[in-house]
Amino acid sequence: MTNSLRPQGHRGAALPPAQQPARGVPSPRSSPTPKAATSLTPKAATSPTPKAATGAAAPGTKPAKQRDAFFDNAKYLAIVLVAMGHAWEPLKGQSRVLEAAYTVVYAFHMPAFILISGYFSRSFDMRADRLKRLVTGVAVPYVVFEVAYSLFSRWADDNPGQSISVLDPLYLTWFLAALFVWRLTTPLWKLVRWPLPLALVIAMLASVSPDIGDDLDLQRVLQFLPFFVLGLFMKPEHFQLVRRREIRILSVPVFATALVVGYWAVPRMNTGWFYHRDSAQQLGAPWWTGPVMTLALFGCSLLLTACFLSWVPRRKLWVTVLGAGTLYGYLLHGFLVKGGEYWGWFDHAWLHKPLGEVFVTLVAAAGVTLLCTPPVQRVFRFAMEPRMEWAFKRDATELARERAGTAKS
């Protein structure tokens, strides 16, 4: 998050092979577990027909695949961490312990999301229906919430001068802008010989390029790129590896060590490194620290992400269905957090004490949980999953399938 509206900004059965998501969202799909809906990583377009995406198979097409509980559970737990981190932002300046926890959370929660987004973007190509869903599931929500956050700032913060610009992502919308760019480049990453080393080189170069500017939050797009590219080339067995019992046991001292290191680093390290939004020079460091920190943070983030995933339940739980609505929780909880800052909710002295910090944490977790529920999804689906059939030509292949299905029936 920054000072403005921009963020500083088990043991179990082996995971089933990845399936094409129903509406192109990197929404997890496999056969064993039920539920199909949207995820934090919005639709990109991988389903054969729009009807299949809503759960009703179109004539002549196969039914939509079922969601995988593991990934829905992972996304739900990660979105809770995101909301907690944003709620800690106004409080952490007066608590070294809280800032240490904040640093550790920021080291892996977005890398985990981005890696999973890459994993479920593997089937993306330039096919017409997938491009259509990339527009409706990523680009349109980006524009809608970019405008919404700008208008909210004008009203709630009494800031009539707040500009509306789709080129300069505001607050949480940077992720949608980045996902749009990353997914468009997916075919390219499948062509190059060494995709991950190339992505790391690009990220390191970005970290020493202060002139990149704020358009589409390009620094973040480039510095987080290696996590997305890594996800593109991951396989189900890689996720199964981190679920081994010994990994779960080792993750406990790893997280404990991370908290100790975070506590030590609070007065010694600029938290801005974890936001991947600025170059080394903009953070007041020598240029050569940019590539060094890029590699160091990439390794630390992957280690903590593996530890986090090792404790994600594989079975279906009551929160599993909420993992399908994490895009809703992600985009909507920002209005609550920023509203709290504008209206002085965090100014009460008791909230800056340990019990107050625990209270804020629980409220943030409960609030984002409610925002991921199916009723909220139904209310806001018009903005986050618009159909927009009126805006696109009908695909010839889709029309042929429908005619064939109608003839058979």
Side-chain angles (χ1 to χ4, degrees):
M1 308 262 301
T2 64
N3 296 330
S4 67
L5 275 176
R6 297 174 55 205
Q8 305 289 11
H10 25 247
R11 199 161 42 208
L15 291 176
Q19 305 291 333
Q20 289 187 355
R23 286 191 65 181
V25 246
S27 60
R29 306 223 172 245
S30 68
S31 51
T33 52
K35 276 298 174 207
T38 55
S39 65
L40 169 70
T41 48
K43 337 174 257 199
T46 51
S47 74
T49 67
K51 288 186 179 180
T54 60
T61 63
K62 296 180 181 180
K65 302 299 181 183
Q66 300 300 316
R67 299 183 68 91
D68 188 302
F70 170 78
F71 290 102
D72 276 335
N73 291 337
K75 291 201 303 294
Y76 167 73
L77 294 174
I79 196 62
V80 168
L81 291 175
V82 169
M84 287 165 47
H86 289 159
W88 290 344
E89 172 69 21
L91 308 176
K92 67 182 180 67
Q94 301 181 30
S95 171
R96 186 171 176 178
V97 172
L98 188 63
E99 187 153 4
Y102 175 91
T103 299
V104 173
V105 166
Y106 265 75
F108 75 90
H109 68 5
M110 286 312 298
F113 268 135
I114 295 166
L115 186 144
I116 293 175
S117 298
Y119 178 70
F120 285 104
S121 297
R122 294 173 302 160
S123 61
F124 181 82
D125 53 28
M126 294 300 178
R127 208 172 73 185
D129 60 335
R130 292 173 179 170
L131 286 173
K132 170 187 170 183
R133 290 178 180 83
L134 179 62
V135 171
T136 59
V138 180
V140 170
Y142 168 71
V143 172
V144 168
F145 279 86
E146 181 71 15
V147 173
Y149 274 118
S150 299
L151 295 178
F152 183 72
S153 174
R154 290 183 179 185
W155 168 68
D157 196 27
D158 193 20
N159 180 21
Q162 174 64 51
S163 62
I164 300 176
S165 170
V166 295
L167 293 179
D168 188 9
L170 197 62
Y171 197 31
L172 305 177
T173 58
W174 73 267
F175 177 75
L176 295 180
L179 184 60
F180 185 85
V181 175
W182 292 331
R183 191 161 283 150
L184 277 180
T185 63
T186 294
L188 174 63
W189 296 111
K190 294 178 180 179
L191 288 177
V192 299
R193 190 179 295 274
W194 299 291
L196 183 57
L198 177 59
L200 283 169
V201 168
I202 292 173
M204 288 188 287
L205 290 175
S207 71
V208 296
S209 304
D211 296 329
I212 284 180
D214 294 329
D215 288 351
L216 294 181
D217 228 343
L218 195 55
Q219 276 285 2
R220 270 188 169 138
V221 173
L222 299 179
Q223 292 194 36
F224 274 119
L225 176 64
F227 299 101
F228 182 82
V229 172
L230 178 61
L232 284 175
F233 294 93
M234 290 191 70
K235 298 178 181 179
E237 51 266 33
H238 295 144
F239 290 97
Q240 185 59 27
L241 280 176
V242 302
R243 302 202 47 74
R244 295 163 58 186
R245 184 171 180 269
E246 52 268 37
I247 301 298
R248 278 180 289 171
I249 293 174
L250 286 173
S251 69
V252 176
V254 168
F255 268 119
T257 302
L259 288 170
V260 171
V261 173
Y263 185 85
W264 172 86
V266 165
R268 299 174 174 86
M269 182 178 176
N270 190 334
T271 311
W273 286 108
F274 295 96
Y275 309 139
H276 298 278
R277 196 197 65 247
D278 301 299
S279 66
Q281 296 93 322
Q282 290 170 313
L283 293 172
W287 70 268
W288 57 266
T289 59
V292 172
M293 290 299 292
T294 297
L295 293 176
L297 290 178
F298 182 73
C300 291
S301 297
L302 285 186
L303 178 62
L304 293 176
T305 296
C307 293
F308 166 72
L309 292 175
S310 72
W311 282 97
V312 173
R314 173 68 182 85
R315 64 188 183 279
K316 184 180 178 182
L317 305 172
W318 68 270
V319 300
T320 302
V321 67
L322 303 179
T326 47
L327 172 63
Y328 296 80
Y330 176 77
L331 290 174
L332 293 173
H333 86 276
F335 291 103
L336 300 180
V337 174
K338 281 301 171 184
E341 291 185 26
Y342 296 150
W343 300 322
W345 295 351
F346 296 100
D347 294 341
H348 299 285
W350 69 275
L351 291 179
H352 295 261
K353 300 184 181 301
L355 286 180
E357 293 165 356
V358 171
F359 174 77
V360 169
T361 302
L362 294 176
V363 169
V368 78
T369 297
L370 290 174
L371 293 175
C372 292
T373 56
V376 174
Q377 295 179 44
R378 288 193 291 270
V379 171
F380 290 96
R381 184 163 286 131
F382 75 95
M384 300 189 200
E385 300 180 77
R387 303 286 299 203
M388 294 184 64
E389 300 295 341
W390 54 268
F392 300 95
K393 296 178 180 179
R394 295 294 299 277
D395 182 70
T397 303
E398 179 183 322
L399 290 172
R401 286 173 177 165
E402 289 186 3
R403 284 196 295 267
T406 302
K408 288 180 180 179
S409 61

